[in-house]
Amino acid sequence: MPEEIADMPHEPALAEQFDDLHQQRFADTLGMWIFLATEVLLFGGIFAGYTVYRMAYPEAFTLASHHLSIPLGTINTAVLLGSSLMVALAVHAAQTGRSKVVGNMLAGALVLGTVFLGIKAVEYTTEWRHHLVPWMEGFNPGGAHPEWQRLYYVFYFIMTGTHAVHMIIGMAVLGVIAVKGWRGAYTAERYVTVEVAGLYWHFVDIVWVFLFPALYLIHVKQ
Amino acid sequence: MIEHVVPVRVYYVIFGWLMALLVVTLVAAYLPLGGWGTLVAFTIATVKAVLILLYFMHVRYGSRLIWIAATAAFLWLGILLVLTLSDYEARGWTPASEMLRPDRPADIPPPPKL
């Protein structure tokens, strides 16, 4: 492939080790998919542990889950689905060579991500005030089986906490890409960075799609 | 060379389905489904995940190898879940096995009481 002319600020879209852009793009996305496979097993392992203990102590887990706010959990699910839509639109903008729109769409996704984290912070603060944090002194969920309820809360904080850490990392990455988007970095030839970051973000969304019914919707109080 | 560009309309339609399924999840949570509630909730969540995978993550438009990588991830998770849960099933720690075997053999311990 011909080198770009000297006064262009970018390096060539095609890296040296690939035969053509199609192969390069394919290798980039396959690499992210393999990483996402390891992430599926990370969260899946925690889910498996949660499933086993939920089946062993169903009443305690049901009681413990009643302290969670279903309205807030639902809003958070909708917020994350919306952010995935914006990221998908950002990828589309990159593919059609509209780099500034990439920045705008990702900024929207970041706003929604911040809303999600804000709501989670409100939930965590409420849980802390109601003595539901299992590692703190005075853990007291009320009702039967406090020790098995403690187990539920360990899973709740670990699962949502790990998810939140993944979200923060994803938001940092999207932030960098948004800034580069506003600076005109993305074209129809150079869009795969946006696509690969998008894959990661959609995965984090999928994790939450499973976390919400698992943690919040166990035999809800009628 | 650019891969298939998914029309924006598709993204909006899928987003509409995802929100509709969220509403269904919520409604189903409040229905008196008893033991089936969990299965219903997870089935809906799986449908949402598949929609995100196919359309937002472009698996539907990608090559067969990407499809294999995505399927493999969930297949391996499936192996983890099936083998782990069948082990607990055999010990009578799962709700289904409780129903099937109400009289536990003396040498198989029940779930630990903390």
Side-chain angles (χ1 to χ4, degrees), chain B residues 17-32:
Chain B
W17 276 106
L18 289 171
M19 295 299 274
L21 286 171
L22 176 59
V23 172
V24 172
T25 308
L26 212 47
V27 167
Y30 285 96
L31 293 177

Side-chain angles (χ1 to χ4, degrees), chain A residues 23-104:
Chain A
Q23 186 191 43
Q24 175 175 302
R25 189 194 54 76
F26 179 68
D28 288 347
T29 52
L30 184 63
M32 176 52 83
W33 274 107
I34 301 299
F35 170 65
L36 292 182
T38 69
E39 293 273 88
V40 166
L41 289 169
L42 166 68
F43 282 98
I46 310 176
F47 263 103
Y50 174 79
T51 304
V52 168
Y53 284 113
R54 176 161 148 186
M55 291 199 292
Y57 311 120
E59 307 93 16
F61 273 43
T62 305
L63 268 178
S65 75
H66 287 168
H67 291 278
L68 263 47
S69 162
I70 293 182
L72 288 183
T74 309
I75 293 171
N76 261 357
T77 311
V79 162
L80 270 195
L81 291 174
S83 74
S84 265
L85 172 66
M86 304 217 75
V87 165
L89 293 174
V91 174
H92 183 270
Q95 284 178 310
T96 51
R98 296 170 296 146
S99 195
K100 289 214 188 331
V101 177
V102 173
N104 297 339

Side-chain angles (χ1 to χ4, degrees), chain B residues 50-65:
Chain B
V50 167
L51 285 176
I52 295 174
L53 280 162
L54 287 177
Y55 292 98
F56 283 1
M57 297 173 85
H58 301 159
V59 171
R60 190 168 178 292
Y61 306 100
S63 71
R64 181 61 52 155
L65 192 47

Side-chain angles (χ1 to χ4, degrees), chain B residues 28-76:
Chain B
Y30 285 96
L31 293 177
L33 296 173
W36 293 101
T38 310
L39 184 62
V40 167
F42 270 90
T43 307
I44 300 174
T46 305
V47 171
K48 285 159 83 175
V50 167
L51 285 176
I52 295 174
L53 280 162
L54 287 177
Y55 292 98
F56 283 1
M57 297 173 85
H58 301 159
V59 171
R60 190 168 178 292
Y61 306 100
S63 71
R64 181 61 52 155
L65 192 47
I66 297 287
W67 182 92
I68 289 175
T71 307
F74 291 97
L75 186 70
W76 253 257

